[in-house]
Amino acid sequence: MKDTDPRSRIPALTDAILDKLDDCDAVDHVCTCPLPHRETVGELLTLTERLLFPGYFNRKAVDKANLRFHLGQTANDTYEMLTEEIAKCILHSRRNLSDPDPEGARAEAAAHALDLLESVPQLIEVLDGDVEAAYLGDPAATGNDEIIIGYPGFRAILTHRVAHHLHERSVPLLPRIMAEFAHSATGIDIHPGAHIGRNFFIDHGTGVVIGETTEIGDNVKLYQGVTLGALSFPTDEHGNLHRGFKRHPTIEDDVVIYSNASILGPVTIGRGSAVGGNVFLTHDVDPYSKVTIEKPDNRIRRHTPR
Amino acid sequence: MKDTDPRSRIPALTDAILDKLDDCDAVDHVCTCPLPHRETVGELLTLTERLLFPGYFNRKAVDKANLRFHLGQTANDTYEMLTEEIAKCILHSRRNLSDPDPEGARAEAAAHALDLLESVPQLIEVLDGDVEAAYLGDPAATGNDEIIIGYPGFRAILTHRVAHHLHERSVPLLPRIMAEFAHSATGIDIHPGAHIGRNFFIDHGTGVVIGETTEIGDNVKLYQGVTLGALSFPTDEHGNLHRGFKRHPTIEDDVVIYSNASILGPVTIGRGSAVGGNVFLTHDVDPYSKVTIEKPDNRIRRHTPR
Amino acid sequence: MKDTDPRSRIPALTDAILDKLDDCDAVDHVCTCPLPHRETVGELLTLTERLLFPGYFNRKAVDKANLRFHLGQTANDTYEMLTEEIAKCILHSRRNLSDPDPEGARAEAAAHALDLLESVPQLIEVLDGDVEAAYLGDPAATGNDEIIIGYPGFRAILTHRVAHHLHERSVPLLPRIMAEFAHSATGIDIHPGAHIGRNFFIDHGTGVVIGETTEIGDNVKLYQGVTLGALSFPTDEHGNLHRGFKRHPTIEDDVVIYSNASILGPVTIGRGSAVGGNVFLTHDVDPYSKVTIEKPDNRIRRHTPR
């Protein structure tokens, strides 16, 4: 053990860390332009949930008398928080410009926040269909309320519909952080770029991955562990990845994909099809098909009980 | 950008949201009857953990001298919180009755809370077996304490034993919310209806799904990604799902199910059997069987290093 | 319902719980020697993140002017918290000794904390490579910053590199609790004993399991659901598990392992190889090999649309 207080080493240590941070070329380890904080994004998503389903995510009861007040207050809080966080993201994306224009960024952020609030009625309608799809799709559901407050699949799609709205309008960074917040809470990883139709339900959900360029029609149901992923990533002559091209599946209307199935690449699963558990697919499937793994090739041996 | 303060739009926006909420027929988006809050259920589960394993989940140390005081206080807090949350759930389930009888609901909730506390000694005994099973089943375990504070499989079964107790006594909603809280924290999704015997251990755990009508014997061990699920859902002549019938597997005593195996439908895995990794099973298995996938059909190609 | 206040039962209940706790032989349900608290470990990991990536995990902005002050303060806070938590773990591991020597334990803990701080520059360098590997490996990444704040695979490897450092120096308990904290947040379960080389990237990540004696080279990429696990656990003549021997795979440099592949046992995957999605492997693979599942044996039937 040392003779002196180890804390006397901290100033020298701090200098060593500073030197090292200066050395880092490829990755900037120091973020001087504030980014949304993990917990703040969680709070923002809670506000959004309260706006879409008043009373379900509040500690105190909402009643008919205070509903208008509650909604107005929540809309106001959401507007302010959303403006602030989007502004951070815009400024961050412009941090290398000579004039990042903070005033302009804030006005742009406010417009995005207002636009999201204007879309709340439509989001309510779409989420309505998602709750119904969950109830109709799960024999263990005893009512809509347990779906709204408890189902991870519903939490993931609610977050996705908000994040996707912002992503479509080119809000940088925030949609992805929202998606990862939901991923952490639910085990369901939906890239905010994915297009998802109405009446969507993911049951159980842990391990589901839905890639950036996935397109999903109406009335689609997924189970836990389903991957809608990419197959390979073309690179340019310098070995850099192409980014942004279509590399994930298209799932047409009325498709069910059972647990742990993987569908990889820009293939199309035709409408009305069912993809069975554990199926591994890298090609198109005609409409109204049922794909299952061949009679699983299991080997069964008996042994004598000890 | 807008000329005026965008916030002046918020009252009109709020009215648009209110109109839309009024429109929703199938799903009630407004919850005027308070439900348990996600975080409150987390706090309630922490209280329960403190009652079952005093000192492991406290920020301050518990010692022999203050143990009785600590337990009495925790029992009292658990009783009060549990009564309040169960009462919310009962009243919520009666929200469409002409007389939901809040007094009666509260008395019923208090009786349920007391009943759970009376069962704590038995829960302690059963969880004792679960800790031992984890230690005996995992070569990476260095002692019981890391299992109790850290293992997700243990956290999931502790929560399940509490939620299942309430579910068996027909407490509405709360057991499911507890289960989803544990699911979010551990990636392990156990429906509170599942019957699980003694000395149960789930290793790693992420992606495990155990359905509502699953029955599991004593000394069963599961690994990550195991699904004990349903195969298909019969519907009535109106296309509505049947709910509540047996649709998940029965796993007899002394069975091990390795990672990512799926067992689907109301089949029985006989005692003493082992189901190998990635096996996909939809039929009964005799006792003392070992089921593995046939020598995996892999294709191996060499390529020349670049 | 009862005539009397149910709370009058609580003292008797408490005594019944105390009696039961006294009965438990195999498992000590009462922890009188304080252990790190789940949330404290979360706070400690946040401090570490702030030290490694200043400004990314702070609520307030860090700027060039206050960077040195920020780092010094964070280093100091990390040192104090780490010393306290490591001391708890050391004392806990000595709780059955006649003289647990609290003074000595604290000095030892302080030395470990200082040693971790001394390694921060090296950790920064290694994590730099991990951020780059994520950017180069994921076509959906728009920049390094979303990887640092949002990617679960990056959060898991950052936590692992800190936990592994402490584990290598035989700090008891804390590394495992850190690993389980990251597991809960990300669905990625890396035992702190695993050796992982440079430029490591896990995409999506949910369901990944990396066992205690796994060895991974440089430039390795894993996808969601990959298991690097054990095959069977030898026991001694009393049926007790052997602990600590090599039972998990070795993955050489420049290997990619696609989603949901399982590699089990102490096998070696040779450098430059690729293991395809869903592959189940229990044998060695030569360098520069490509292993895929044989053309998946799917059965496709058409049905007439209703």
Side-chain angles (χ1 to χ4, degrees), chain B residues 106-161:
Chain B
R106 206 176 158 81
E108 214 179 300
H112 280 304
L114 198 66
D115 172 73
L116 182 70
L117 288 180
E118 306 254 19
S119 310
V120 163
Q122 206 213 320
L123 284 169
I124 284 173
E125 194 181 305
V126 175
L127 288 165
D128 209 71
D130 296 327
V131 175
E132 273 200 85
Y135 184 72
L136 295 175
D138 178 15
T142 61
N144 290 332
D145 289 346
E146 78 183 72
I147 293 163
I148 297 168
I149 44 171
Y151 273 38
F154 183 68
R155 188 170 184 181
I157 188 64
L158 186 155
T159 304
H160 175 72
R161 298 211 185 276

Side-chain angles (χ1 to χ4, degrees), chain A residues 52-54 56 62 68 80 118 125 128 135-136 138 141 145 185 204 206 224 297 299 301-303, chain B residues 6-7 9 15 20 28-29 31-32 38-39 92 176 183-184 189 227 241 243 287-288 290 292 294:
Chain A
L52 295 161
F53 291 89
Y56 283 91
V62 167
R68 191 170 192 286
E80 289 187 359
E118 306 254 20
E125 195 181 303
D128 212 70
Y135 184 72
L136 295 174
D138 177 15
D145 290 346
H204 307 298
T206 309
Q224 72 273 15
D297 214 12
R299 186 169 158 206
R301 284 163 295 170
R302 295 286 309 267
H303 59 86
Chain B
R7 258 170 307 185
R9 290 272 308 131
D15 287 334
K20 191 67 188 181
D28 193 355
H29 280 253
C31 182
T32 55
R38 213 144 53 191
E39 285 158 42
H92 187 269
R176 189 67 196 261
H183 182 191
S184 177
D189 181 355
T227 292
L241 289 180
R243 293 175 194 267
Y288 304 104
K290 192 166 180 176
T292 52
E294 266 308 340

Side-chain angles (χ1 to χ4, degrees), chain B residues 46 49-64 67-68 71-72 75-76 79-80 104 107-111 114 117-125 127-129 131-132 134-142 144-146 148-152 155 184-186 203-207 221 223-224 258-260 276-278 293 295-306, chain C residues 1-2 5-7 9-18 20-22 24-40 43 88 92 95 173 176-177 180 183-185 187-189 191 206-212 225 227 230-233 240-245 247 260 262 264 272-274 278-295:
Chain B
T46 299
E49 289 173 328
R50 286 180 186 161
L51 209 52
L52 295 161
F53 290 88
Y56 284 91
F57 301 98
N58 300 74
R59 283 205 181 236
K60 286 185 188 162
V62 167
D63 59 35
K64 299 282 177 199
L67 176 59
R68 190 169 193 284
L71 270 182
N76 193 74
Y79 170 79
E80 287 185 1
E108 214 179 300
L114 198 66
L117 288 180
E118 306 254 19
S119 310
V120 163
Q122 206 213 320
L123 284 169
I124 284 173
E125 194 181 305
L127 288 165
D128 209 71
V131 175
E132 273 200 85
Y135 184 72
L136 295 175
D138 178 15
T142 61
N144 290 332
D145 289 346
E146 78 183 72
I148 297 168
I149 44 171
Y151 273 38
R155 188 170 184 181
S184 177
T186 66
D203 202 359
H204 307 298
T206 309
K221 179 156 89 165
Y223 284 82
Q224 73 272 18
Y258 289 93
S259 54
N260 302 312
N278 280 27
I293 50 175
K295 212 169 174 37
D297 213 11
N298 293 325
R299 189 171 155 202
I300 304 183
R301 284 162 297 172
R302 296 284 309 266
H303 59 85
T304 329
R306 283 180 288 194
Chain C
M1 297 299 110
K2 304 284 161 60
D5 183 348
R7 259 170 306 184
R9 289 273 306 131
I10 289 180
L13 276 173
T14 304
D15 288 335
I17 296 173
L18 279 167
K20 193 66 188 183
L21 290 173
D22 269 349
C24 295
D25 279 341
V27 175
D28 192 357
H29 280 252
V30 183
C31 183
T32 53
C33 179
L35 279 165
H37 190 265
R38 213 144 54 193
E39 285 158 41
T40 313
E43 290 158 21
K88 282 183 195 167
H92 187 269
R95 69 195 179 286
L173 268 167
R176 187 68 196 262
I177 305 175
E180 288 299 353
H183 181 192
S184 178
I188 297 168
D189 182 355
H191 192 287
T206 309
V208 165
V209 172
I210 301 178
E212 184 181 16
T227 292
L231 199 52
S232 68
F233 307 148
N240 294 319
L241 290 179
H242 289 298
R243 294 175 193 266
F245 67 102
R247 59 192 188 283
N260 303 314
S262 294
L264 306 180
S273 291
N278 281 28
V279 164
F280 187 90
L281 259 185
T282 56
H283 56 76
D284 289 346
V285 167
D286 285 338
Y288 303 104
S289 301
K290 192 166 179 178
V291 187
T292 53
I293 50 175
E294 266 307 340
K295 212 169 172 36

Side-chain angles (χ1 to χ4, degrees), chain B residues 189-191 194 196 200 202 208-212 214 216 222 226 228:
Chain B
D189 181 355
I190 312 180
H191 192 286
I196 301 183
F200 182 66
I202 302 175
V208 164
V209 172
I210 300 178
E212 184 181 15
T214 305
I216 295 180
L222 308 183
V226 165
L228 305 178

